[in-house]
Amino acid sequence: MAAGGRGGSRAQPSPPLIRKELCNGLLLLLGVFLLWESAGYARMARAFPRLVLLLMVALVVLDLGWEFYRARRGTRGGDAEDLLARLEGPEGDRPRDPAPTGPKPPARVLGCVALMAAFPGCMVLLGFLPASLLFFPLAAWSLGYRQPKPLVLSSVVVTGFLYLVFVLIMDSRLPTGLLIRWVWG
Amino acid sequence: MGVGGVFDLDTWSQAAALVFQWGNLTLIVGTALVGLITGLLPGIGPLNTLPLFIPLTFAMPPHMGILVLAVLYVSSVYGGSISAILLNTPGTASSAATCFDGYPMAQQGKGGVAIGLSMMSSLLGGSIGLIFLIFFSPVIADVALKFQPAEYFMLAALGLVLIATSARGSVLKSLVIGCLGFAASSVGMDVMTGQSRFTFGSTYLQGGLPFVPLVVGLFAFSEVLCLVEKGQGTIAEKGELAGGIWEGLKAIRSHLGTLLRSSLVGLGIGTIPGEGAAVANFTAYLIEVRSSKHPETFGTGDPAGVVAAEASNNACVAGTLIPTLTLGIPGGGVAAIFMGGLMMHGLNPGMELFTRNKDVLYTLFFGLAVGNVLIFLCGVGLAKVFAKITTVPVNLLVPGIIILGVVSTYLFRSNFTDVLVAVAAGLFGYVLRRQGYSLVPLLVGFILAPIAERSFFQALIIADGSYLTFVRRPISATLFALIVLAIFLPPLLQRLRGRRRKT
C-alpha cells in the first residue's frame, strides 16, 4: 500500500527542554496563581474550580517530570508516532514551494497579530467599507502578495461580497466610522 | 418519546414546508458552496469556519441557524476530498485516507472518476448515517432520562477524557488543556452563589469569557497565524481536473459492500466522543484493505479505497451528532462548536430538544437530508471550478479570513472588546499549537464545565455530601470505570505491543 510519500519524516534537532516546555511552565504558574486567587471565594463557589485547577497543576507537574525523565534518558517523544500529525507536515514527495521572501516567521506572525488588532481600530474610525478596502490590500501586501491588479480586484470583490451578505441580506449594523460621521455629520 | 416519535408526520411536514421555501433552499445551497470551498482548502476546514458563522446565524430563526451550521459541517467534509484527490493534500483530516487511492487515480488521468466516486460515496454514506441519527437518537435520549446528576457529571468527565485521549499529541497535555477549559468556564459570576470568580474587577468578565470570540480566536485566528508562519505561496500550482465525473458516479454500483461496511464503521466511531472523523476514514480504509482479496491494489488507485474513506467520514458526521444532540456530550471538535451554536440559540441538547423543540430537530434532520443531495449536486457540478480555487495564494486568503473573523466577532454583541479577546485567544491558541497542545480538549472542557459543575453539586446535595454517590450507582460506576480504562488502557496496550515486537 503506497503511503503517498508521507511515511518518512526528516529528523529535526530537538529544541531545548525549557523552550519545549515553556507552555507547561506558564500553565503551572497560572494554575498556582488562580488557586491563590480563589482562596477568598465562598466555599461552594471555589470548590469546583479549585478541584479542576489542582488536577491541572498535578497533571502539568507529571508531564514536566515525564518530559524531564525522557530528556535525561535520551528517548524519542511518543508524539512522533502520531500518523495524522505527520500527514500534516511538509514532508513527502510533493515539491516544496520556494522559501518565502520577506520577514522571518516570528516577525510575520507578530505582524499578523498587529494587523488583526489594528483592523477593528480602523473599522471604528473609518467604518466597515473604507476600513476593509484599505485593510485588505495593505494586509496582503505586507504578507508578500505583490500583484497590484488582482489585489485591487480581490479587495473590491471580497469587501463587496461581505457587505452584500452582512448589511444588505442580513441587515446587520456595522460601524459607520467616527471620522466619517464627524466629517459628514 | 422513543422511536415511535419519529413517525410524527405533522412535524415532518412542517419541517418540509420550512426547508422547501425558496429563501431557505437558497441559503442551504449558499452554505453548501461555502462549506465545499472551505473544506477543500487545507488548514481552513469546518473547525475554523463554523465559529465564524455562528454569529451570522443569530439573524436567522433557530431552525435555519442550526441547519446552516450542520450543512456547513457536512459540506466541509465533502470538500476535503477534492484537494485530497487532486493535490494529495487532504482539505480536512477526515479525508486523509482518500489521498492513498484518490491521488494515484488523478495521476492516472482519472481525477474526475475519483471525484465522482467520492461524491457518491459521501452522499450515500452520509444518508446511511442520517437514517441512524433519525431513528436512534430518540432512543438514546429516552435512555438519558434515567440519568441523574451523578451520571451527567461522569458523562461530562468521560466526554472530556475521551476527547483528550484521542486528540493529537500527548494525552497528558490534552488532559491539562481540558482542565484549563474547565477552569476558563468558571470565569464570571457563579450562578449558585453570586460570587464573582476570576474577574479581577473587570465588568467585561462578569458575564464570563464569551464563547464566540473565544472559539473564533482559538481556531480561526490561530490557524491564520499558522498559515502566515508557514508562508506557503499557493496550495496548488495549477488546479485541473481530468476524467469523467459521471463514470465515477456509476462506478459506485461495484462497491456497495464497501460502502455499507465503511458507513457503519464511520457511524460507530463517530458515536463515541473523540476525534472520530480523522480516525474513521483510516479505520474503514484499513478494514477494506485487510478484507480485500487483492490488498496489493490499494494505494495504487483502487476505487474501493476512495469509497471506504469517503463513506466513513460522512457517516461519521451523523455519528458525532448522536451524543451531541441526545446527551449534550460533543462527539468531536466540530460537534462541540456545533453544540455551542445550538446553545447560543437557546436550545439545550437532551430530552428537551426531542420534546419541546422537536420542530427544530426535525427541521435539522429533514434539512440535512435535502442538504446532502444539494451538496452532492454542487460538488459534482462545480468540481472543476473548485479545482481552480486551490490556486488562490494563501496571502490573499488570510486578509479575507481576518476581515470575516473580525466582523463575525463584532456582530456577536456589537462590542469591540470581543474582537480584542478573539485576537488574544488567537495568539494564545497559536502558542499552544506550536507547543504541541490540541485545542479541541480546551473547547470541550469549556463547554462541558457548566454541566459538570452543576451536576457535581446537585449529586452531592442529593447524596447528603457523600462522594460515594459517583461510584455507587450502576450507570455512574460504569462510566467511572470507562474513564479509568480510557486513560490507562491505550498506554498499557502500546507497551504490550512494544514488548511483543521486541520478542
Side-chain angles (χ1 to χ4, degrees):
Chain A
M1 176 176 85
R6 294 187 181 280
S9 61
R10 283 198 314 221
Q12 300 268 345
S14 186
L17 188 68
I18 289 171
R19 213 175 85 194
K20 230 175 89 174
E21 299 305 319
L22 179 68
C23 238
N24 256 345
L26 290 172
L27 287 172
L28 181 63
L29 285 172
L30 179 68
V32 167
F33 169 69
L34 293 177
L35 277 167
W36 171 80
E37 165 71 19
S38 61
Y41 296 165
R43 201 163 150 231
M44 255 188 94
R46 73 177 182 231
F48 195 77
R50 291 198 110 194
L51 178 70
V52 165
L53 286 166
L54 274 169
L55 184 62
M56 185 179 95
V57 165
L59 287 169
V60 167
V61 168
L62 195 64
D63 193 36
L64 279 170
W66 176 243
E67 293 296 333
F68 183 66
Y69 168 74
R70 278 207 320 223
R72 284 198 68 171
R73 279 196 62 177
T75 51
R76 292 178 64 185
D79 307 351
E81 296 305 306
D82 191 82
L83 176 63
L84 293 171
R86 285 195 343 233
L87 276 175
E88 288 195 1
E91 303 90 18
D93 54 9
R94 190 163 73 88
R96 288 223 200 180
D97 291 319
T101 55
K104 290 194 176 3
R108 281 205 299 271
V109 169
L110 289 173
C112 192
V113 172
L115 282 172
M116 280 184 202
F119 179 58
C122 289
M123 269 221 299
V124 170
L125 283 175
L126 302 173
F128 168 71
L129 266 177
S132 303
L133 285 170
L134 204 63
F135 173 82
F136 193 103
L138 275 175
W141 194 271
S142 65
L143 291 169
Y145 191 79
R146 294 286 188 268
Q147 297 174 52
K149 278 186 199 161
L151 187 54
V152 169
L153 185 65
S154 305
S155 309
V156 171
V157 166
V158 168
T159 306
F161 177 73
L162 291 175
Y163 184 81
L164 173 74
V165 169
F166 287 123
V167 180
L168 298 179
I169 296 175
M170 290 172 51
D171 200 26
S172 303
R173 297 185 69 179
L174 290 175
T176 43
L178 291 173
L179 271 178
I180 307 289
R181 267 186 276 146
W182 183 69
V183 166
W184 270 290
Chain B
M1 189 175 90
V3 178
V6 170
F7 298 105
D8 180 355
L9 290 174
D10 276 340
T11 318
W12 279 115
S13 56
Q14 277 170 28
L18 197 68
V19 169
F20 281 128
Q21 288 175 15
W22 281 113
N24 292 338
L25 277 176
T26 312
L27 187 60
I28 294 172
V29 169
T31 309
L33 291 172
V34 171
L36 282 164
I37 292 169
T38 55
L40 88 97
L41 295 169
I44 311 296
L47 205 57
N48 303 312
T49 321
L50 237 73
L52 297 173
F53 276 74
I54 291 175
L56 305 191
T57 63
F58 293 157
M60 305 170 198
H63 311 75
M64 289 313 298
I66 301 307
L67 180 57
V68 158
L69 293 176
V71 167
L72 195 61
Y73 183 7
V74 170
S75 53
S76 303
V77 176
Y78 271 76
S81 62
I82 300 176
S83 47
I85 289 164
L86 297 182
L87 310 172
N88 203 22
T89 305
T92 58
S94 59
S95 298
T98 311
C99 295
F100 297 151
D101 283 284
Y103 185 62
M105 283 181 78
Q107 287 179 313
Q108 292 158 22
K110 290 190 244 172
V113 177
I115 297 270
L117 256 179
S118 85
M119 289 289 151
M120 188 53 97
S121 307
S122 298
L123 172 66
L124 295 175
S127 301
I128 291 171
L130 189 58
I131 290 168
F132 275 82
L133 172 66
I134 292 170
F135 283 95
F136 283 96
S137 49
V139 175
I140 296 171
D142 261 344
V143 168
L145 270 180
K146 297 184 174 59
F147 283 20
Q148 297 252 325
E151 279 84 30
Y152 275 108
F153 173 74
M154 281 300 175
L155 205 55
L158 176 65
L160 180 64
V161 164
L162 285 173
I163 295 271
T165 51
S166 64
R168 276 171 231 162
S170 152
V171 170
L172 270 176
K173 282 184 161 61
S174 296
L175 287 171
V176 164
I177 216 67
C179 288
L180 181 66
F182 262 63
S185 180
S186 59
V187 172
M189 190 179 289
D190 175 33
V191 290
M192 285 189 285
T193 60
Q195 168 89 57
S196 292
R197 298 187 296 194
F198 310 122
T199 57
F200 307 104
S202 158
T203 46
Y204 178 82
L205 291 177
Q206 281 292 328
L209 284 171
F211 174 75
V212 168
L214 199 67
V215 105
V216 167
L218 280 176
F219 292 94
F221 284 172
S222 73
E223 185 58 41
V224 160
L225 294 177
C226 289
L227 287 173
V228 165
E229 186 198 16
K230 277 185 212 160
Q232 191 176 356
T234 59
I235 292 152
E237 290 297 319
K238 47 182 182 175
E240 278 175 13
L241 185 60
I245 294 177
W246 181 245
E247 203 188 309
L249 296 177
K250 288 191 294 182
I252 196 73
R253 288 179 296 191
S254 317
H255 303 283
L256 292 176
T258 301
L259 176 80
L260 189 62
R261 265 192 306 274
S262 305
S263 301
L264 293 174
V265 166
L267 182 70
I269 291 174
T271 319
I272 304 165
E275 288 304 300
V279 169
N281 72 139
F282 274 107
T283 311
Y285 184 86
L286 290 170
I287 289 172
E288 283 311 302
V289 171
R290 286 189 186 141
S291 59
S292 170
K293 288 177 190 156
H294 302 284
E296 69 282 359
T297 60
F298 282 81
T300 64
D302 191 330
V306 173
V307 172
E310 286 302 309
S312 62
N313 67 18
N314 277 269
C316 186
V317 169
T320 60
L321 291 179
I322 294 176
T324 309
L325 296 173
T326 58
L327 303 171
I329 304 296
V334 184
I337 298 174
F338 174 80
M339 187 171 129
L342 198 73
M343 289 158 79
M344 290 273 111
H345 278 275
L347 301 163
N348 293 313
M351 211 50 207
E352 195 183 304
L353 196 60
F354 286 80
T355 49
R356 254 185 270 161
N357 300 118
K358 213 164 61 168
D359 50 339
V360 174
L361 198 66
Y362 279 44
T363 308
L364 173 66
F365 292 160
F366 193 88
L368 271 178
V370 170
N372 248 333
V373 174
L374 292 173
I375 295 167
F376 165 77
L377 292 172
C378 290
V380 165
L382 297 171
K384 295 194 179 192
V385 173
F386 292 144
K388 293 273 178 229
I389 289 172
T390 54
T391 59
V392 173
V394 164
N395 43 22
L396 266 193
L397 280 177
V398 163
I401 296 171
I402 293 174
I403 294 175
L404 183 60
V406 166
V407 172
S408 295
T409 312
Y410 173 77
L411 284 177
F412 174 51
R413 297 192 294 196
S414 299
N415 186 339
F416 276 110
T417 315
D418 286 341
V419 179
L420 296 175
V421 167
V423 173
L427 185 58
F428 182 59
Y430 166 77
V431 170
L432 286 175
R433 288 167 74 160
R434 291 287 274 112
Q435 292 266 302
Y437 290 88
S438 168
L439 297 177
V440 173
L442 176 66
L443 174 67
V444 172
F446 186 80
I447 289 175
L448 292 180
I451 305 165
E453 186 175 8
R454 192 175 56 238
S455 309
F456 181 74
F457 283 113
Q458 283 172 348
L460 285 179
I461 289 167
I462 291 169
D464 288 327
S466 166
Y467 286 91
L468 286 174
T469 190
F470 295 109
V471 291
R472 221 186 346 229
R473 292 170 58 81
I475 300 176
S476 57
T478 310
L479 293 170
F480 180 73
L482 287 173
I483 290 169
V484 172
L485 278 172
I487 295 173
F488 293 107
L489 193 63
L492 207 69
L493 287 174
Q494 211 170 11
R495 275 216 152 172
L496 287 170
R497 263 186 239 130
R499 276 198 197 146
R500 244 184 254 153
R501 263 190 235 122
K502 278 184 195 165
T503 55

